[in-house]
Amino acid sequence: MSLESARAEIATALSTVAGVQGYAKRPTPPAEGDAWPLWAGSERGPGSAYLPVWSVRILVPQDEVAATEWWDAHRDAVLDALRPVLYVQRVAPAAVTASGSDLLIIEITGITEE
Amino acid sequence: MPAPTGAQVYKDALIRVDGTDYANQLRKARLVPDQPIQTYKTLVPDGVVQDTDAEVWTFEIEGLQINTPGGLAAYLRGLSNGTQISCILQPKTGVGQPMATFTALALKVEFGGEQGSYLTKTLTLPVIGVPVFGTS
């Protein structure tokens, strides 16, 4: 599987969750509930296969309390949807740089095939 | 050379024991063949005679030690050692995926663990005969 197809699979899986819209690449401008994968490097695997690491970003409400409640409501569905396409290693809140100010996101780090 | 097709990261498996799927409690599940090789070297160049035994399979599992109802640890602990359990190992869920069907023998599970970490279990179960490999 190529990086392009892995990106598309992750986006499709994210879109199956109510309240989440998956994109293969970062939409401009991203809106609440938008989610996209960002390639974060590949480790050499067995044979000629590589293990790409993905940083999946989900834009949550920009208020801490609202973001907490949003993630409480969507966490299980997001992780269930990703299970067939991504081996999740870590889930954590983070911020991405945007023009003007940082945007609060949930960052899901995982690996898949390449 | 391009990356091979069919390479898979083990992440969405089906591991069924007596009709219940325990994949969400396990981090490792694999069937391992033990197949000793006999080698005899004779007094001529390249004089090597080799023979292989029929394989004996074991089912290695490792995962959470859940001691409440619904846990695989609790289920196995409730069985007598040697009770036959029907197992299915399918590395990737879905239809048309490779799978192995086999009968293993139950063993007792460890109880307890280390402070500050999840309770875990590690088991190697003997398999009766040879697993049947097919597709889902």
Side-chain angles (χ1 to χ4, degrees):
Chain A
M1 186 161 59
S2 64
L3 288 177
E4 289 82 357
S5 53
R7 202 179 280 123
E9 277 195 354
I10 292 170
T12 303
L14 289 165
S15 291
T16 62
V17 180
V20 175
Q21 179 60 51
Y23 294 90
K25 293 169 185 167
R26 178 174 173 163
T28 309
E32 180 184 314
D34 284 355
W36 64 97
L38 182 66
W39 177 64
S42 293
E43 296 288 335
R44 184 68 189 250
S48 296
Y50 286 80
L51 276 177
V53 179
W54 293 98
S55 166
V56 176
R57 282 106 192 271
I58 304 175
L59 194 68
V60 294
Q62 297 304 296
D63 169 74
E64 185 178 311
V65 172
T68 301
E69 290 168 351
W70 191 94
W71 186 236
D72 284 349
H74 292 82
R75 176 185 175 278
D76 287 349
V78 168
L79 296 180
D80 276 353
L82 285 174
R83 189 185 309 121
V85 296
L86 186 77
Y87 180 73
V88 175
Q89 298 170 310
R90 187 167 189 270
V91 183
V96 291
T97 307
S99 57
S101 62
D102 286 350
L103 293 174
L104 294 179
I105 61 163
I106 298 294
E107 182 180 32
I108 301 171
T109 307
I111 57 174
T112 187
E113 302 91 354
E114 178 179 343
Chain B
M1 183 177 286
T5 56
Q8 184 192 342
V9 173
Y10 202 10
K11 59 183 178 297
D12 186 27
L14 184 150
I15 302 151
R16 190 166 286 168
V17 176
D18 282 346
T20 303
D21 188 359
Y22 292 104
N24 63 356
Q25 300 181 17
L26 299 172
R27 65 181 296 276
K28 173 182 172 183
R30 63 173 187 168
L31 282 162
V32 182
D34 177 29
Q35 38 203 351
I37 304 165
Q38 290 83 45
T39 302
Y40 193 84
K41 294 183 180 177
T42 59
L43 288 169
V44 292
D46 303 328
V48 178
V49 180
Q50 288 176 308
D51 186 43
T52 58
D53 287 355
E55 78 274 27
V56 176
W57 292 85
T58 53
F59 184 39
E60 295 181 354
I61 55 174
E62 190 179 315
L64 293 167
Q65 181 197 121
I66 297 179
N67 299 317
T68 50
L72 180 57
Y75 180 71
L76 291 174
R77 198 174 290 120
L79 300 175
S80 301
N81 273 14
T83 302
Q84 295 189 5
I85 52 174
S86 302
C87 305
I88 294 174
L89 173 59
Q90 186 179 321
K92 188 174 185 179
T93 60
V95 177
Q97 298 295 332
M99 65 183 287
T101 306
F102 55 97
T103 301
L105 298 178
L107 292 175
K108 287 288 185 284
V109 182
E110 61 204 276
F111 190 72
E114 293 182 34
Q115 71 169 353
S117 58
Y118 275 118
L119 290 172
T120 59
K121 65 175 181 300
T122 304
L123 268 184
T124 301
L125 304 173
V127 172
I128 297 177
V130 177
V132 177
F133 294 96
T135 53
S136 57

